[in-house]
Structures are given as structure tokens and as C-alpha cells.
Amino acid sequence: MLSPTSMKLALPDFAHVWRAGELGSASLPGVDTGYAALNQVLPGGGWPQGALVELLQPQPGLHEWGLLAPALAGMQLVAPGQFMVLVGAPYWPFGPALGARQLNMQRLLCVQANEQGRGPALLWATREALQCADVASVLAWLPEARSAHLRRLQIAAHAHNKLLFVFRPLRAQHESSPAPLRLLLDGAMSEQGNLWVHVLKRRGPPLASPVLLATRPARLALLLAASRERARRRWEELAPAVPAPHPSLRSSHALDRTASPHHL
């Protein structure tokens, strides 16, 4: 019988053994998120392909495209003939804005359902999309989904090696979930970024601090920076004796607020 000491010495010889105190390795192919800071805290260095990624946020339609567009655009470049499917999106996608994020709108399909029986219909459509050979990624807004429903979607995403994102409200953070990766999204008012990403669940140790990302398109970021600079100069001209506000408080310009989902 091996002693505890000998067992400790033997563990490093098993490359497939994962220790809970370490960040999990890539058991599934990882898709570059487009954000180096986020890649560093995700197992495998990116979005797990063939697994369910659960995204929680206070209001649907606010942060999805800024976070996911780089990865989705990259996948379209690799497989231009495949589709991206939106199931139950809260707003119709705004083509020019998504085109500016390098997304091909001709390879995007939107699936909606009538209010009566909406929840089961959206779950069915999500499973069907995951089984389609011509689909590379699925984005589903499923506020009524429960753990059992998500487990079936996780199995389907794994079986068909699809990139699956499911969006749910903040109240769902207190429910159990089979998703290997679970994130909470929250807007930020900072010159360094506009989106906080809280890692609620991952294959690895808990992440003490959220990750701050700048998800606005480069041209919009430059426009907002110029707007803030004009506001700063105007403040100094009108009130030279009054100290300028802290940078975190100078984001009240209309263009610097969280964009409406119609102008993603």
C-alpha cells in the first residue's frame, strides 16, 4: 500500500490528473476570445468549443456583441460557409453595427417563437441548431431555462462540437448549472474598459477579481475619447477655478453611455 508521501510523488507522473487548485487545461478546443486578459483566466485559453458557456447579465441585449464578436468573426473567417444561429434574441441584430465588427450578416440566422409556449419552443430550436452540420455557433437567450434543460444543451453541444452561449438573467446565478464556464457581465464606466467579466465558475480555482475589458470598436473608442477630451477642455474654460471631475465621473456624454441594443 502506498504511503501518502509516495502518492504525492507519483501524482505528477499522470498528465491527465487535474488538481482543483490549478487552472484546467484544454480538454476541449479553445476559441480565441479576442481579449488577451480574458484568455488568460479561461481554461484552454479561450471559449470552450463543444461546451455550454452561460452568460448572466442584468438586461439582455447590452453586452453580448461586444464580448463575443471577435471570436465569432474569427470563426467565420475559418469556416465562411457555416452559420451563426441566434435563438430568442431580445432585439433584431443591427446589421451595420455587426458588420463594423467584421461579422458576415449573410451567414446569420435568427429564430423566434410565439409568446405562447415560447420557452419550450426556444429550447427545441437551440437543440436542433446544435445538431445541424452547417452551424458553427449558437447564441440562445433562455431566461426560463432550468438546470435540466441546460444539461441537455451541454450534452448536445459536446456531442456535435459546437460553440454554445446561453444568456440568462442575474437571478439565475443562485441556481445550479451544468455549464463548465459561467460568467457574469456588468457594465463599467472607466477609461480602461467598459465591461466587467466576473468568472463565477470555471475548471480551476475561484477568480478573486473580475476582468475589465474594452469591448467597443476602435473607431467608437476614439470618438468617445475625443468627446471626453472636449468635455474636459470645456470644463476648464468655463470653471478654471473649479477642479475638474475625476475621469470616472466624466463619462456622462450620451455616446459614452451603454449603447442601446438597437445600436450594438
Side-chain angles (χ1 to χ4, degrees):
M1 182 175 179
L2 292 174
S3 67
T5 303
S6 61
M7 290 179 66
K8 287 183 179 179
L9 293 175
L11 279 177
D13 296 332
F14 297 96
H16 62 278
V17 173
W18 167 65
R19 296 162 179 79
E22 301 175 355
L23 190 63
S25 59
S27 58
L28 294 170
V31 176
D32 183 10
T33 67
Y35 303 102
L38 185 57
N39 289 340
Q40 290 176 1
V41 302
L42 298 183
W47 300 121
Q49 187 167 346
L52 164 63
V53 179
E54 188 178 1
L55 302 172
L56 311 178
Q57 56 181 341
Q59 181 180 338
L62 288 181
H63 309 297
E64 290 95 323
W65 294 112
L67 177 65
L68 302 182
L72 297 173
M75 290 190 69
Q76 285 187 333
L77 287 176
V78 174
Q82 292 193 309
F83 286 93
M84 173 174 59
V85 178
L86 312 185
V87 180
Y91 304 95
W92 289 106
F94 185 55
L98 296 186
R101 293 183 181 271
Q102 310 304 312
L103 288 168
N104 182 3
M105 298 298 292
Q106 295 182 348
R107 308 305 295 179
L108 186 149
L109 297 177
C110 296
V111 180
Q112 292 292 349
N114 296 327
E115 289 301 324
Q116 185 175 4
R118 176 179 173 84
L122 294 180
L123 286 168
W124 176 86
T126 303
R127 289 196 301 270
E128 289 296 308
L130 291 171
Q131 298 175 38
C132 181
D134 292 329
V135 171
S137 58
V138 179
L139 283 67
W141 287 259
L142 304 173
E144 302 174 14
R146 295 295 177 259
S147 180
H149 304 141
L150 298 178
R151 186 173 294 107
R152 297 188 189 100
L153 296 182
Q154 160 65 13
I155 293 172
H158 180 73
H160 300 282
N161 195 35
K162 293 298 193 300
L163 192 61
L164 171 62
F165 299 96
V166 172
F167 304 95
R168 302 181 71 202
L170 286 183
R171 65 176 183 273
Q173 65 182 299
H174 304 297
E175 303 174 7
S176 62
S177 172
L181 180 60
R182 210 173 189 212
L183 308 178
L184 187 151
L185 311 180
D186 192 16
M189 299 286 282
S190 168
E191 293 186 2
Q192 287 71 43
N194 61 292
L195 179 63
W196 289 111
V197 178
H198 303 258
V199 181
L200 302 181
K201 179 183 177 183
R202 63 175 180 171
R203 191 183 183 190
L207 190 65
S209 302
V211 179
L212 180 61
L213 303 179
T215 66
R216 295 188 179 103
R219 292 179 63 183
L220 177 58
L222 290 175
L223 177 63
L224 295 175
S227 177
R228 287 193 295 268
E229 179 62 20
R230 287 195 300 270
R232 184 189 65 80
R233 292 179 179 178
R234 186 163 56 249
W235 179 279
E236 292 177 348
E237 292 173 357
L238 296 177
V242 179
H246 189 273
S248 63
L249 302 177
R250 293 204 302 266
S251 301
S252 59
H253 192 280
L255 287 174
D256 204 21
R257 299 171 188 150
T258 303
S260 165
H262 293 286
H263 301 86
L264 293 172

